[in-house]
């Protein structure tokens, strides 16, 4: 319909009804698009919004009463009302006009605003209907509509009948394809505030300079180590390294100013970055832009600029900037996981890089482990990623919005998803269990099912399989495929594996004061953890059996267990070893932590205290990197939220916080690391089942030593 004709339409605004005004006949294959008209095509002044309440099948607030319509005329400063039309089209041929797709935050479910929809009713009447919308969408559309020409756009809130569970389930299944088909995705971050214009301009300027350097050509498996050397200034004589370091120096003042005034922190804290649905919306379209207020920029420029920011920290803590550790640590950059998902998906689409893309399990880890990600409907934590997951078809998961708020339905869906990820032939990942610990937010879940809550605790075993080799194989190299054992209930998971040993001793008390949330600078708590490991090792030495084969190897547990035998080498995890001087770093860390404790508790006379400080010479040791900083960091990463244990045979390790004496250390086929389970009372028919407790590290069995036939068995987890 031509824009100039819209003003000639005279109508009385009634409430919009999807069934009569824009029925989607084939929701499995077709979808709606919205044509948003410019401000110049708004309704004539004699039109009034209807005061009629929406019918039951129309869009309306989910909580509270419908807001009252505003029948007053807009003031001179009030923008003209929003005007659009909705039309349907097959996804295989989404009209001849390219369309954009919107990624935004719904916010409150309340719908105090409306958009006027030009509609053709079944009887052929052309009319304008009023469709209620949220405040966040209303603000976004006012900013995004073009002043002169219509734009065609897909918006979930308007293009899906949210009150129709069947249509919603079908359309959610198509969302990945919709965002892939869009000519551009608009990521609406919100109106300008807290100096966001300057932040957007800084991202654009710095990102473009990095792009002009050609840095993106290093984004390959072979190129990453070279790029790491450039960014780390490994060879200051290298021309590209000098160019990169010059960029750091050039933009350090800009970053320092915007960190100090909180601008960048505020930008990172915008709600969009915490919404589950935005992940696939962000990753599927090559042309994706951030829109914040009136500023717009290519999202990939933010990634490139962010690399400069992350490698500027050493400059920023020094004069003339002298930013504090608190100011820098407050910059919790939420974009890295988004860009990781985006890069992997683009590689999958274009068959570049390794071309494999991310599975659903990997996406769930990226978006819910150790980060703030939310979804109003719990099952959307899974559904929001299906369009991005390369194994979505193999998993066979179909969105189901029946019984939306029912706990039993949520448990059924989350259990089914976990089972499919563990047992499907495409991926078969038993390490899904690494994220199945307690406490669970969703009541009634089986012990082995992850709930994927916000800030799910990460596993100590983190391997970037795209670029790094595995260094543990507790199940043995010959048992790397998951062995699924048929069970009698969908709530029971049967797995083949190996019985390792029974937990015989734990630290006194609950131990939480030393092993929970360990920070690398917290000397007293780290030393408390080491003392617990040492006490268990002493108890092991006093026993006649030695599963390690030699006293020398058993004593290595003192420095292997606290870091889960994992060493951070050039940003990749590798096996800890004497060759890497991990034992030396351990001793240096102990000396530094004991000194730190002494400094905080000493009652020595000033002269004596000064003599000890001069003798230790903290600054000189720091300059020479002789304070065991890397060991303390690995300890915080590997030992955090883990409890040391000793088994009956004398193995020393660490396990989940909820483990108890009598629990069993097991290794499942396909499992790189061991787990802890708790045997439950036998069923009336004699069947034995186990409660899943959590992941574990057990020194001495991480290379398959316990994966022998006499230990083999089936384990049924409830």
């Amino acid at each position: 319909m031509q824009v100039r004709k819209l003003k000639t339409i005279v109508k009385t605004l009634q409430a919009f009804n999807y069934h009569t005004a824009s029925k989607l006949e084939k929701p499995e294959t077709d979808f709606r698009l919205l044509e948003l008209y410019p401000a110049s095509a708004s309704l004539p002044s004699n039109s009034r919004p209807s005061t009629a309440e929406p019918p039951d099948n129309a869009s309306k607030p989910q909580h509270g009463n419908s807001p009252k319509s505003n029948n007053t005329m807009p003031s001179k400063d009030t923008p003209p009302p929003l005007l659009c039309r909705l039309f349907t089209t097959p996804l295989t041929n989404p009209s001849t006009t390219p369309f954009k797709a919107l990624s935004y935050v719904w916010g409150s479910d309340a719908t105090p605003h409306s958009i006027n929809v030009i509609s053709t009713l079944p009887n052929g009447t052309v009319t304008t209907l009023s469709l209620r919308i949220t405040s966040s969408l209303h603000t976004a559309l006012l900013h995004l509509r073009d002043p002169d020409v219509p734009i065609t756009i897909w918006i979930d809130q308007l293009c899906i009948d949210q009150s129709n569970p069947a249509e919603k389930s079908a359309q959610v299944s198509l969302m990945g394809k919709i965002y892939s088909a869009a000519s551009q995705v608009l990521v609406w971050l919100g109106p300008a505030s807290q100096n966001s214009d300057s932040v957007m301009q800084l991202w654009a300027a710095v990102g473009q300079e990095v792009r002009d350097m050609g840095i993106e050509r290093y984004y390959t498996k072979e190129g990453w180590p070279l790029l790491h050397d450039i960014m780390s200034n490994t060879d200051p004589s290298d021309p590209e390294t000098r160019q990169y370091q010059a960029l750091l120096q050039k933009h350090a003042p800009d970053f320092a100013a915007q960190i100090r005034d909180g601008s960048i922190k505020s930008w990172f804290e915008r709600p969009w970055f915490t919404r589950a649905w935005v992940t696939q919306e962000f990753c599927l379209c090559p042309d994706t832009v951030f829109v914040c207020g009136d500023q717009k920029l290519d999202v990939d420029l933010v990634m490139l600029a962010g690399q400069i920011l992350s490698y500027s920290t050493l400059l920023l803590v020094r004069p003339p900037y002298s930013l504090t550790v608190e100011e820098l640590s407050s910059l919790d950059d939420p974009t890295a996981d988004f860009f990781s998902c985006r890069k992997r998906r683009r590689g999958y689409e274009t068959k570049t890089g390794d071309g494999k893309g991310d599975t659903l399990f990997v996406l769930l880890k990226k978006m819910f482990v150790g980060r703030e990600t939310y979804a109003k409907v719990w099952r959307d934590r899974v559904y929001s990623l299906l369009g991005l997951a390369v194994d979505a078809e193999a998993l066979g998961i179909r969105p189901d919005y029946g019984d939306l708020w029912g706990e039993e339905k949520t448990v059924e869906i989350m259990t089914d998803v976990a089972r499919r990820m563990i047992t499907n032939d495409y991926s078969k990942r038993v390490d899904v269990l690494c994220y199945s610990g307690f406490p669970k937010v969703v009541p009634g879940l089986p012990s082995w099912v992850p709930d994927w809550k916000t800030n799910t605790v990460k596993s100590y075993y983190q391997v970037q399989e795209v670029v790094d080799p595995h260094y543990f194989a507790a199940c043995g190299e010959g048992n790397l495929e998951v062995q699924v054992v048929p069970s009698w209930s969908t709530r029971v998971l049967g797995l083949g594996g190996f019985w390792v040993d029974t937990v015989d001793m734990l630290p006194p008390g609950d131990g939480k004061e030393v092993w929970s949330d360990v920070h690398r600078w917290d000397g007293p708590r780290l030393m408390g953890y080491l003392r617990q490991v040492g006490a268990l090792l002493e108890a092991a030495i006093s026993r006649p059996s030695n599963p390690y084969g030699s006293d020398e190897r058993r004593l290595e547990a003192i420095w292997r267990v606290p870091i889960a035998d994992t060493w951070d080498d050039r940003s990749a995890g590798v096996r800890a070893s004497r060759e890497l001087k991990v034992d030396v770093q351990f001793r240096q860390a102990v000396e530094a932590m004991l000194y730190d404790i002494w400094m905080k508790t000493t009652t020595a006379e000033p002269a004596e205290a000064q003599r000890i400080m001069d003798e230790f010479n903290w600054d000189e040791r720091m300059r020479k990197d002789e304070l065991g900083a890397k060991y303390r960091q690995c300890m915080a990463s590997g030992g955090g939220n883990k409890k040391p244990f000793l088994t009956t045979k004398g193995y020393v390790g660490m396990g989940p916080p909820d483990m108890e004496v009598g629990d069993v250390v097991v290794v499942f086929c396909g499992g790189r690391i061991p787990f802890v389970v708790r045997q439950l009372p036998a069923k009336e028919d004699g069947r034995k089942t186990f409660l899943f407790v959590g992941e574990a590290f057990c020194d001495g069995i991480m290379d398959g030593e316990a994966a022998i036939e006499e230990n083999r068995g089936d384990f049924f987890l409830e």
Side-chain angles (χ1 to χ4, degrees):
M1 183 175 296
Q2 297 179 5
V3 173
R4 65 176 179 270
K5 291 183 179 180
L6 293 177
K7 290 187 177 181
T8 66
I9 299 175
V10 179
K11 49 224 166 290
T12 301
L13 297 182
Q14 300 294 325
F16 185 86
N17 183 308
Y18 281 95
H19 183 73
T20 58
S22 183
K23 186 175 182 180
L24 195 59
E25 298 287 353
K26 300 177 181 179
E28 295 80 11
T29 58
D30 297 353
F31 70 120
R32 297 184 186 90
L33 284 172
L34 180 144
E35 190 172 20
L36 180 64
Y37 293 114
S40 58
S42 296
L43 289 174
S45 60
N46 62 343
S47 294
R48 297 288 187 271
S50 171
T51 57
E53 292 291 332
D56 290 340
N57 59 346
S59 176
K60 60 182 179 180
Q62 295 186 21
H63 304 290
N65 297 322
S66 299
K68 294 181 179 179
S69 299
N70 180 5
N71 289 320
T72 60
M73 291 294 296
S75 68
K76 181 185 294 186
D77 297 328
T78 300
L82 294 167
L83 183 65
C84 72
R85 75 179 179 99
L86 284 168
F87 61 97
T88 63
T89 182
L91 184 55
T92 54
N93 181 27
S95 81
T96 57
T97 303
F99 71 94
K100 300 182 180 183
L102 181 63
S103 178
Y104 68 109
V105 176
W106 272 53
S108 169
D109 286 330
T111 54
H113 301 278
S114 63
I115 183 170
N116 301 316
V117 187
I118 305 294
S119 305
T120 302
L121 301 181
N123 62 6
T125 302
V126 177
T127 186
T128 299
L129 304 175
S130 178
L131 178 56
R132 310 298 299 187
I133 61 175
T134 63
S135 293
S136 62
L137 181 57
H138 182 259
T139 301
L141 294 180
L142 289 178
H143 277 79
L144 295 173
R145 68 176 171 183
D146 191 278
D148 301 311
V149 297
I151 62 172
T152 303
I153 190 168
W154 188 87
I155 305 169
D156 57 356
Q157 188 177 143
L158 300 178
C159 295
I160 300 176
D161 181 358
Q162 300 293 331
S163 66
N164 185 334
E167 178 181 310
K168 186 175 180 180
S169 297
Q171 290 286 284
V172 166
S173 297
L174 297 181
M175 282 181 63
K177 295 179 180 179
I178 292 172
Y179 278 91
S180 296
S183 61
Q184 185 179 66
V185 169
L186 305 173
V187 175
W188 170 248
L189 297 179
S193 65
Q194 297 174 298
N195 203 28
S196 60
D197 284 356
S198 296
V199 176
M200 294 281 284
Q201 292 161 7
L202 181 60
W203 293 144
V206 177
Q208 190 60 53
E209 288 188 58
V210 178
R211 172 168 284 174
D212 292 342
M213 277 186 62
I215 287 296
E216 288 164 296
R217 73 181 186 276
Y218 288 103
Y219 291 175
T220 64
K221 181 177 181 179
E222 298 75 24
W224 275 116
L226 300 175
L227 180 58
H228 182 273
D229 289 342
I230 291 172
M231 294 190 294
S232 302
N233 200 22
T234 301
D235 180 8
S237 65
D238 174 67
E240 283 193 290
T241 299
R242 290 201 305 270
Q243 187 179 2
Y244 193 86
Q245 296 302 315
L247 268 181
L248 296 182
Q249 295 282 352
K250 176 181 177 180
H251 292 290
D254 303 316
F255 283 125
Q258 294 195 14
I259 292 172
R260 183 162 279 125
D261 69 12
S263 302
I264 293 178
K265 181 176 184 291
S266 297
W267 196 89
F268 282 154
E269 291 177 347
R270 286 186 174 253
W272 182 90
F273 293 105
T274 66
R275 179 174 171 253
W277 275 107
V278 303
T279 309
Q280 70 169 2
E281 299 167 2
F282 181 78
C283 298
L284 291 170
C285 179
D287 185 3
T288 300
V289 296
F290 281 127
V291 185
C292 188
D294 295 328
Q295 300 289 316
K296 182 189 294 187
L297 81 156
D298 178 352
V299 297
D300 291 328
L301 295 181
V302 177
M303 175 188 66
L304 297 170
Q307 291 179 346
I308 292 289
L309 173 60
S310 64
Y311 279 86
S312 298
T313 52
L314 289 179
L315 285 174
L316 298 176
V317 297
R318 299 169 182 165
Y321 315 112
S322 302
L323 293 180
T324 65
V325 174
E326 290 74 19
E327 286 174 316
L328 289 173
S329 61
S330 69
L331 292 179
D332 187 10
D333 182 359
T335 65
D337 292 316
F338 285 104
F339 285 118
S340 172
C341 295
R342 178 174 170 81
K343 179 179 178 296
R344 293 275 291 163
R345 182 66 189 193
R346 299 313 308 153
Y348 176 75
E349 296 285 353
T350 59
K351 305 305 178 186
T352 57
D354 72 348
K356 293 181 179 179
D358 284 329
T359 63
L360 177 61
F361 173 51
V362 171
L363 291 168
L364 286 165
K365 286 196 299 179
K366 287 181 177 180
M367 302 318 299
F368 291 100
V369 175
R371 63 169 289 137
E372 302 279 336
T373 306
Y374 300 95
K376 290 181 181 178
V377 180
W378 201 269
R379 65 197 73 172
D380 278 346
R381 294 166 183 266
V382 173
Y383 296 164
S384 64
L385 299 172
L386 286 179
L388 195 57
V390 296
D391 60 343
E393 288 300 319
L395 291 171
I397 299 169
R398 298 291 180 264
D400 180 354
Y401 285 97
D403 192 14
L404 195 58
W405 304 107
E407 289 184 356
E408 289 186 7
K409 187 66 174 180
T410 299
V411 168
E412 175 189 325
I413 291 171
M414 299 304 289
T415 302
D416 178 63
V417 168
R419 179 180 293 278
R420 289 171 186 262
M421 288 193 295
I422 294 170
T423 65
N424 85 93
D425 291 333
Y426 185 93
S427 52
K428 276 193 176 179
R429 299 299 297 256
V430 77
D431 47 340
V432 170
L433 298 176
C434 294
Y435 305 94
S436 304
F438 293 91
K440 297 185 189 294
V441 175
V442 179
L445 279 180
S447 63
W448 54 275
V449 177
D451 56 11
W452 301 111
K453 58 182 172 289
T454 293
N455 278 319
T456 292
V457 176
K458 73 174 183 177
S459 169
Y460 72 85
Y461 186 53
Q462 298 288 322
V463 174
Q464 297 183 37
E465 295 175 325
V466 180
V467 294
D468 302 324
H470 282 281
Y471 52 91
F472 288 148
C475 63
E477 293 294 341
N479 301 293
L480 290 175
E481 185 173 345
V482 178
Q483 181 183 337
V484 181
V485 181
S487 68
W488 56 90
S489 168
T490 57
R491 292 181 55 88
V492 177
L493 177 68
L495 295 173
F498 304 90
W499 183 296
V500 178
D501 203 5
T502 303
V503 175
D504 184 54
M505 184 180 295
L506 296 169
D510 62 13
K512 289 183 180 179
E513 71 281 0
V514 295
W515 52 253
S516 289
D517 303 319
V518 181
H519 190 278
R520 64 173 172 164
W521 298 112
D522 195 340
R525 296 180 72 189
L526 290 174
M527 275 307 301
Y529 192 96
L530 292 179
R531 290 190 179 105
Q532 289 186 346
V533 175
L536 294 175
L537 186 56
E538 286 182 8
I541 293 172
S542 67
R543 298 181 177 183
S545 62
N546 180 1
Y548 295 98
S550 70
D551 291 339
E552 181 182 11
R553 173 61 185 87
R554 178 164 57 185
L555 288 173
E556 290 181 359
I558 190 63
W559 54 265
R560 291 186 184 275
V561 171
I563 60 173
D565 213 7
T566 297
W567 196 242
D568 183 1
D569 182 52
R570 291 183 66 184
S571 76
V574 298
R575 192 71 170 269
S577 67
R578 290 186 182 276
E579 288 73 21
L580 292 172
K581 298 184 178 180
V582 178
D583 55 329
V584 175
Q585 278 263 344
F586 166 75
R587 289 194 294 272
Q588 293 173 347
V590 170
E591 291 173 357
M593 288 185 286
L594 290 175
Y595 178 79
D596 180 47
I597 294 171
W598 174 82
M599 286 287 291
K600 293 176 179 177
T601 60
T602 184
T603 58
E605 293 295 327
E608 176 64 10
Q610 188 62 51
R611 182 191 67 77
I612 295 174
M613 287 188 289
D614 291 342
E615 183 177 306
F616 189 85
N617 199 349
W618 180 281
D619 290 340
E620 179 65 12
R621 290 194 182 196
M622 176 177 285
R623 187 182 68 81
K624 294 181 177 180
D625 192 20
E626 295 178 350
L627 295 174
K630 183 179 284 191
Y631 188 90
R632 294 198 305 273
Q633 179 60 54
C634 291
M635 197 174 163
S637 300
N641 208 39
K642 293 287 187 294
K643 182 188 295 187
F645 66 79
L646 175 66
T647 73
T648 302
K649 295 177 183 177
Y651 289 113
V652 182
M654 59 181 186
D658 299 299
M659 69 186 307
E660 300 173 357
V661 170
D663 287 348
V664 181
V665 180
V666 300
V667 175
F668 298 123
C669 293
R672 295 277 179 177
I673 63 174
F675 297 95
V676 174
V677 298
R678 184 173 303 150
Q679 190 160 346
L680 298 172
K683 305 291 184 183
E684 292 182 0
D685 57 6
R687 290 180 300 196
K688 294 181 179 179
T689 59
F690 296 83
L691 180 79
F692 180 82
V693 183
E695 68 174 16
F697 168 80
C698 188
D699 190 37
I701 69 146
M702 302 303 291
D703 295 309
E705 294 89 342
I708 57 179
E709 284 304 312
E710 64 186 69
N711 294 339
R712 189 181 291 273
D714 295 336
F715 301 86
F716 294 96
L717 308 178
E718 287 194 351

